[in-house]
Amino acid sequence: MADASRAQLAMTFLNGQRMYGKPLRIASSRFHTVQLPKEGPDELTNDFTSSALHRFSKPGSKNARHVGPPSATLHISNIPSNVTETDLKTLFSSTGSSIAAFKFFASDRKMALIQMSSVEEALEALTEIHNFSLGDDRLLKVSFSKSTI
């Protein structure tokens, strides 16, 4: 995390949430720094600070204002123009989730809201579909939404 307050916020929002039938248990590490591997890939440690996929790397990013607790409604953005409602429902259903509602934004079909049957299903779908490619080199962005459908 960029700083201790963001880490604390993530812990507050995610600790105790159910995922794949089990509660998440999140606690602060006793270590103040992370020792990155010297060379080659490591399955346990990854550095995302300079990754293009890091949503909160830019100071003052508008993404940070939309951080909220997990909810059953997900915000989807960066949707390619040729992708339909049916395509998105099929993709999200493939995670084992039940879709309660769906709505494209009226002003911008590159964004939509999708409501799952539970927060647990939404959490699982978000982890599986965020940064998923539907072609044309665009990755779907999925986050929890404070809105409802």
Side-chain angles (χ1 to χ4, degrees):
M1 296 295 190
D3 57 51
S5 64
R6 288 188 187 182
Q8 183 60 49
L9 191 61
M11 285 176 31
T12 300
F13 287 156
L14 295 174
N15 192 38
Q17 291 292 330
R18 295 191 66 79
M19 189 166 171
Y20 302 110
K22 297 179 180 178
L24 291 173
R25 295 291 175 231
I26 302 171
S28 295
S29 173
R30 61 186 172 100
F31 300 103
H32 296 285
T33 59
V34 175
Q35 180 72 33
L36 295 174
K38 291 183 175 41
E39 291 183 27
D42 181 355
E43 293 179 15
L44 300 176
T45 307
N46 291 301
D47 182 4
F48 293 99
T49 54
S50 58
S51 170
L53 304 177
H54 190 314
R55 290 197 227 170
F56 307 107
S57 60
K58 296 175 188 162
S61 168
K62 67 179 179 179
N63 292 326
R65 289 182 294 203
H66 300 292
V67 173
S71 67
T73 304
L74 298 173
H75 179 272
I76 312 165
S77 61
N78 210 28
I79 302 169
S81 58
N82 63 331
V83 173
T84 66
E85 177 178 336
T86 303
D87 294 333
L88 290 169
K89 284 181 173 180
T90 301
L91 176 62
F92 278 82
S93 295
S94 73
T95 67
S97 300
S98 301
I99 298 164
F102 180 92
K103 179 176 84 171
F104 273 111
F105 278 47
S107 60
D108 187 358
R109 287 186 55 90
K110 293 178 186 174
M111 296 189 291
L113 293 175
I114 189 164
Q115 185 175 337
M116 313 314 252
S117 330
S118 68
V119 172
E120 181 176 359
E121 286 186 0
L123 185 57
E124 293 167 9
L126 183 147
T127 58
E128 292 182 36
I129 297 177
H130 178 66
N131 288 325
F132 186 86
S133 175
L134 286 175
D136 76 359
D137 299 328
R138 295 175 71 160
L139 300 175
L140 288 181
K141 303 297 180 195
V142 183
S143 57
F144 295 113
S145 176
K146 297 175 186 175
S147 302
T148 56
I149 300 177

